Amino acid sequence: MRKIKILTAVFLAAAVTVSLAACGGKGEQKAESGTEAAAGTEKTGGTEGSAPETEGAKDTEGVKDTEGVKDTEEGDETKAAGAAVYPGIEMTDTFTFTDPADLDFDTRYVFMGDSTCKLLTDMLNYDFHGTALYEILYVKDGEGVGEYQYFVMEDEESAKGLADFYGAQGQNVTQEENRVYTFSDADLLKSTLMMLSGANMIRDEEPETYVRYIADSYGLVEQ
Protein backbone atom coordinates (compact mmCIF):
# COMPACT_ATOMS: atom_id res chain seq x y z
CA MET A 1 0.00 0.00 0.00
CA ARG A 2 1.38 3.42 -0.89
CA LYS A 3 2.28 5.67 1.99
CA ILE A 4 -0.17 8.50 2.53
CA LYS A 5 1.36 11.91 3.04
CA ILE A 6 1.96 13.62 6.30
CA LEU A 7 -1.31 15.43 7.04
CA THR A 8 -3.56 12.60 5.93
CA ALA A 9 -1.54 9.88 7.63
CA VAL A 10 -0.34 10.50 11.17
CA PHE A 11 -3.04 13.07 11.87
CA LEU A 12 -5.80 11.40 9.88
CA ALA A 13 -7.55 10.51 13.13
CA ALA A 14 -7.97 14.20 13.87
CA ALA A 15 -9.54 14.72 10.44
CA VAL A 16 -11.90 11.81 11.03
CA THR A 17 -12.93 13.35 14.34
CA VAL A 18 -13.68 16.65 12.60
CA SER A 19 -15.67 14.83 9.91
CA LEU A 20 -17.72 12.86 12.44
CA ALA A 21 -18.39 15.96 14.52
CA ALA A 22 -19.71 17.73 11.44
CA CYS A 23 -22.11 14.83 10.82
CA GLY A 24 -23.56 14.27 14.30
CA GLY A 25 -5.20 22.96 2.33
CA LYS A 26 12.51 26.95 -6.49
CA GLY A 27 12.67 29.63 -8.10
CA GLU A 28 10.53 32.09 -9.78
CA GLN A 29 9.50 31.20 -13.31
CA LYS A 30 9.07 33.90 -15.86
CA ALA A 31 7.29 33.46 -19.18
CA GLU A 32 8.54 36.10 -21.55
CA SER A 33 6.91 36.51 -24.92
CA GLY A 34 9.12 37.19 -27.90
CA THR A 35 7.45 40.17 -29.54
CA GLU A 36 10.16 41.38 -31.83
CA ALA A 37 9.16 43.52 -34.52
CA ALA A 38 7.75 41.96 -37.59
CA ALA A 39 4.72 44.19 -37.27
CA GLY A 40 6.87 47.30 -37.60
CA THR A 41 8.67 46.08 -40.72
CA GLU A 42 7.43 47.68 -43.90
CA LYS A 43 7.62 45.96 -47.26
CA THR A 44 9.82 47.90 -49.64
CA GLY A 45 9.67 46.58 -53.17
CA GLY A 46 12.68 47.22 -55.42
CA THR A 47 12.74 49.55 -58.43
CA GLU A 48 11.45 48.03 -61.61
CA GLY A 49 14.24 46.42 -63.56
CA SER A 50 16.43 45.80 -60.54
CA ALA A 51 15.48 42.16 -60.02
CA PRO A 52 18.46 41.18 -57.84
CA GLU A 53 17.71 43.98 -55.37
CA THR A 54 14.02 43.05 -55.33
CA GLU A 55 14.78 39.40 -54.68
CA GLY A 56 17.25 40.32 -51.96
CA ALA A 57 14.74 42.56 -50.28
CA LYS A 58 12.08 39.85 -50.50
CA ASP A 59 14.44 37.28 -48.96
CA THR A 60 15.34 39.62 -46.13
CA GLU A 61 11.71 40.42 -45.50
CA GLY A 62 10.85 36.74 -45.46
CA VAL A 63 13.48 35.98 -42.83
CA LYS A 64 12.44 38.89 -40.63
CA ASP A 65 8.77 38.01 -40.87
CA THR A 66 9.39 34.33 -40.16
CA GLU A 67 11.60 35.08 -37.18
CA GLY A 68 9.12 37.57 -35.81
CA VAL A 69 6.25 35.09 -36.06
CA LYS A 70 8.40 32.32 -34.64
CA ASP A 71 9.43 34.43 -31.67
CA THR A 72 5.83 35.38 -30.98
CA GLU A 73 4.63 31.79 -31.26
CA GLU A 74 7.39 30.55 -28.96
CA GLY A 75 6.52 33.28 -26.49
CA ASP A 76 2.86 32.23 -26.51
CA GLU A 77 3.82 28.59 -26.03
CA THR A 78 6.05 29.55 -23.10
CA LYS A 79 3.18 31.45 -21.54
CA ALA A 80 0.85 28.49 -21.98
CA ALA A 81 3.31 25.89 -20.69
CA GLY A 82 5.03 27.87 -17.94
CA ALA A 83 3.78 28.27 -14.43
CA ALA A 84 2.17 31.49 -13.38
CA VAL A 85 4.48 33.72 -11.37
CA TYR A 86 3.47 34.00 -7.73
CA PRO A 87 5.27 35.85 -4.94
CA GLY A 88 7.49 33.93 -2.55
CA ILE A 89 6.11 32.83 0.82
CA GLU A 90 8.09 34.23 3.76
CA MET A 91 7.95 31.39 6.27
CA THR A 92 10.66 32.62 8.63
CA ASP A 93 12.96 35.62 8.93
CA THR A 94 15.64 33.68 7.05
CA PHE A 95 13.64 31.49 4.67
CA THR A 96 11.29 32.40 1.83
CA PHE A 97 9.65 29.57 -0.09
CA THR A 98 9.59 29.92 -3.88
CA ASP A 99 7.72 27.78 -6.37
CA PRO A 100 9.69 24.89 -7.89
CA ALA A 101 11.11 25.81 -11.27
CA ASP A 102 10.29 22.45 -12.86
CA LEU A 103 6.62 22.28 -11.86
CA ASP A 104 4.10 23.27 -14.56
CA PHE A 105 0.97 24.79 -13.01
CA ASP A 106 -1.55 27.54 -13.62
CA THR A 107 -3.07 27.93 -10.14
CA ARG A 108 -1.55 27.97 -6.67
CA TYR A 109 -3.46 27.69 -3.39
CA VAL A 110 -1.76 28.74 -0.17
CA PHE A 111 -3.27 28.25 3.28
CA MET A 112 -1.48 29.06 6.53
CA GLY A 113 -2.04 28.50 10.22
CA ASP A 114 -0.10 29.97 13.15
CA SER A 115 0.65 28.29 16.47
CA THR A 116 -3.02 28.54 17.48
CA CYS A 117 -4.40 26.57 14.51
CA LYS A 118 -6.08 23.28 15.32
CA LEU A 119 -3.43 20.94 13.93
CA LEU A 120 -0.53 22.59 15.75
CA THR A 121 -2.42 22.73 19.04
CA ASP A 122 -3.29 19.04 18.60
CA MET A 123 0.41 18.34 18.06
CA LEU A 124 1.15 19.72 21.52
CA ASN A 125 -0.28 16.46 22.85
CA TYR A 126 2.76 14.80 21.23
CA ASP A 127 5.04 17.50 22.67
CA PHE A 128 5.72 18.98 19.23
CA HIS A 129 5.80 22.77 19.25
CA GLY A 130 5.13 24.35 15.87
CA THR A 131 4.89 28.04 15.05
CA ALA A 132 3.31 27.81 11.60
CA LEU A 133 1.85 25.37 9.11
CA TYR A 134 1.59 25.88 5.34
CA GLU A 135 -0.51 23.97 2.82
CA ILE A 136 0.56 24.75 -0.77
CA LEU A 137 -1.34 23.10 -3.62
CA TYR A 138 -0.57 23.40 -7.33
CA VAL A 139 -3.15 22.81 -10.06
CA LYS A 140 -2.87 22.58 -13.84
CA ASP A 141 -6.01 22.50 -16.01
CA GLY A 142 -8.12 21.52 -13.02
CA GLU A 143 -5.85 18.63 -11.95
CA GLY A 144 -3.64 18.58 -8.90
CA VAL A 145 0.02 18.41 -9.95
CA GLY A 146 1.87 18.93 -6.67
CA GLU A 147 1.52 19.72 -3.00
CA TYR A 148 3.86 20.92 -0.27
CA GLN A 149 3.08 20.77 3.42
CA TYR A 150 5.46 22.71 5.65
CA PHE A 151 5.75 22.65 9.43
CA VAL A 152 7.74 25.52 10.91
CA MET A 153 8.90 24.47 14.38
CA GLU A 154 10.17 26.51 17.32
CA ASP A 155 13.77 25.51 16.66
CA GLU A 156 15.95 23.03 14.81
CA GLU A 157 15.84 20.51 17.66
CA SER A 158 12.03 20.49 17.58
CA ALA A 159 12.09 20.02 13.81
CA LYS A 160 14.47 17.07 14.13
CA GLY A 161 12.19 15.47 16.71
CA LEU A 162 9.18 15.81 14.40
CA ALA A 163 11.13 14.47 11.43
CA ASP A 164 12.29 11.48 13.47
CA PHE A 165 8.70 10.83 14.56
CA TYR A 166 7.45 10.78 10.98
CA GLY A 167 10.39 8.63 9.92
CA ALA A 168 9.45 6.08 12.55
CA GLN A 169 5.93 6.05 11.08
CA GLY A 170 7.36 5.24 7.64
CA GLN A 171 6.79 8.72 6.28
CA ASN A 172 9.17 10.36 3.81
CA VAL A 173 9.85 13.88 5.07
CA THR A 174 12.65 16.41 4.73
CA GLN A 175 14.09 18.54 7.50
CA GLU A 176 15.83 21.83 6.79
CA GLU A 177 16.86 23.81 9.87
CA ASN A 178 13.62 24.43 11.84
CA ARG A 179 11.36 23.29 8.98
CA VAL A 180 9.90 19.88 8.17
CA TYR A 181 8.14 19.37 4.87
CA THR A 182 6.84 16.80 2.44
CA PHE A 183 5.99 16.92 -1.25
CA SER A 184 3.27 14.93 -3.03
CA ASP A 185 3.46 14.54 -6.80
CA ALA A 186 0.47 14.31 -9.12
CA ASP A 187 0.04 10.55 -8.73
CA LEU A 188 0.18 10.54 -4.94
CA LEU A 189 -2.09 13.56 -4.78
CA LYS A 190 -4.64 11.85 -7.02
CA SER A 191 -4.64 8.71 -4.88
CA THR A 192 -5.14 10.83 -1.75
CA LEU A 193 -8.14 12.59 -3.29
CA MET A 194 -9.61 9.25 -4.33
CA MET A 195 -9.13 7.85 -0.84
CA LEU A 196 -10.75 10.82 0.91
CA SER A 197 -13.62 10.91 -1.57
CA GLY A 198 -14.15 7.17 -1.19
CA ALA A 199 -14.32 7.63 2.59
CA ASN A 200 -16.92 10.42 2.10
CA MET A 201 -14.59 12.90 3.76
CA ILE A 202 -14.74 15.18 0.73
CA ARG A 203 -17.70 15.48 -1.65
CA ASP A 204 -15.67 15.04 -4.85
CA GLU A 205 -12.12 14.64 -6.11
CA GLU A 206 -11.59 18.27 -7.13
CA PRO A 207 -8.27 19.70 -5.89
CA GLU A 208 -9.95 22.85 -4.56
CA THR A 209 -12.46 20.76 -2.59
CA TYR A 210 -9.55 18.85 -1.06
CA VAL A 211 -7.42 21.85 -0.12
CA ARG A 212 -10.35 23.66 1.47
CA TYR A 213 -11.20 20.53 3.43
CA ILE A 214 -7.65 20.43 4.77
CA ALA A 215 -7.84 24.13 5.63
CA ASP A 216 -11.20 23.80 7.40
CA SER A 217 -10.10 20.68 9.29
CA TYR A 218 -6.91 22.20 10.65
CA GLY A 219 -7.87 25.85 11.03
CA LEU A 220 -5.84 27.31 8.17
CA VAL A 221 -6.48 30.66 6.51
CA GLU A 222 -6.13 31.32 2.78
CA GLN A 223 -3.28 33.64 1.92
Side-chain angles (χ1 to χ4, degrees):
M1 180 182 294
R2 299 189 65 179
K3 296 184 181 72
I4 304 170
K5 55 187 182 38
I6 193 169
L7 287 182
T8 55
V10 179
F11 296 105
L12 185 58
V16 172
T17 301
V18 171
S19 179
L20 292 177
C23 294
K26 259 179 208 187
E28 185 175 273
Q29 293 190 2
K30 295 182 180 179
E32 296 179 356
S33 60
T35 52
E36 302 201 351
T41 304
E42 294 182 1
K43 290 187 177 181
T44 54
T47 305
E48 192 174 316
S50 58
E53 293 180 5
T54 303
E55 290 175 359
K58 184 182 292 186
D59 290 343
T60 302
E61 287 173 18
V63 171
K64 286 183 180 178
D65 287 347
T66 301
E67 289 179 348
V69 171
K70 184 178 181 181
D71 287 345
T72 303
E73 289 176 351
E74 287 178 350
D76 291 342
E77 288 175 2
T78 302
K79 278 185 176 180
V85 178
Y86 288 91
I89 303 169
E90 187 176 342
M91 294 186 177
T92 71
D93 292 339
T94 59
F95 175 72
T96 297
F97 173 91
T98 54
D99 299 322
D102 58 349
L103 187 63
D104 185 17
F105 66 97
D106 54 38
T107 304
R108 185 185 79 175
Y109 296 93
V110 180
F111 289 83
M112 180 263 187
D114 61 16
S115 60
T116 64
C117 76
K118 177 173 172 49
L119 181 55
L120 295 188
T121 55
D122 286 348
M123 286 173 59
L124 293 175
N125 296 324
Y126 299 86
D127 201 28
F128 296 127
H129 297 262
T131 61
L133 169 65
Y134 292 86
E135 165 74 19
I136 307 167
L137 180 70
Y138 297 96
V139 176
K140 175 71 173 181
D141 297 331
E143 298 289 333
V145 294
E147 177 189 25
Y148 281 95
Q149 293 167 345
Y150 264 85
F151 289 91
V152 181
M153 307 304 289
E154 285 186 345
D155 51 38
E156 188 169 345
E157 183 178 355
S158 297
K160 184 179 185 306
L162 183 63
D164 289 345
F165 173 77
Y166 283 130
Q169 301 296 322
Q171 298 296 315
N172 184 18
V173 300
T174 301
Q175 179 204 346
E176 293 178 349
E177 299 179 338
N178 66 327
R179 306 177 304 277
V180 177
Y181 73 89
T182 185
F183 175 76
S184 297
D185 62 16
D187 290 339
L188 183 53
L189 188 54
K190 184 175 181 178
S191 67
T192 300
L193 268 62
M194 291 175 63
M195 180 200 71
L196 293 176
S197 176
N200 294 320
M201 296 174 72
I202 56 177
R203 67 176 181 271
D204 54 43
E205 297 178 15
E206 294 296 321
E208 184 174 1
T209 302
Y210 161 74
V211 74
R212 294 192 182 280
Y213 166 77
I214 293 295
D216 290 344
S217 298
Y218 301 122
L220 310 182
V221 178
E222 189 168 10
Q223 303 299 293

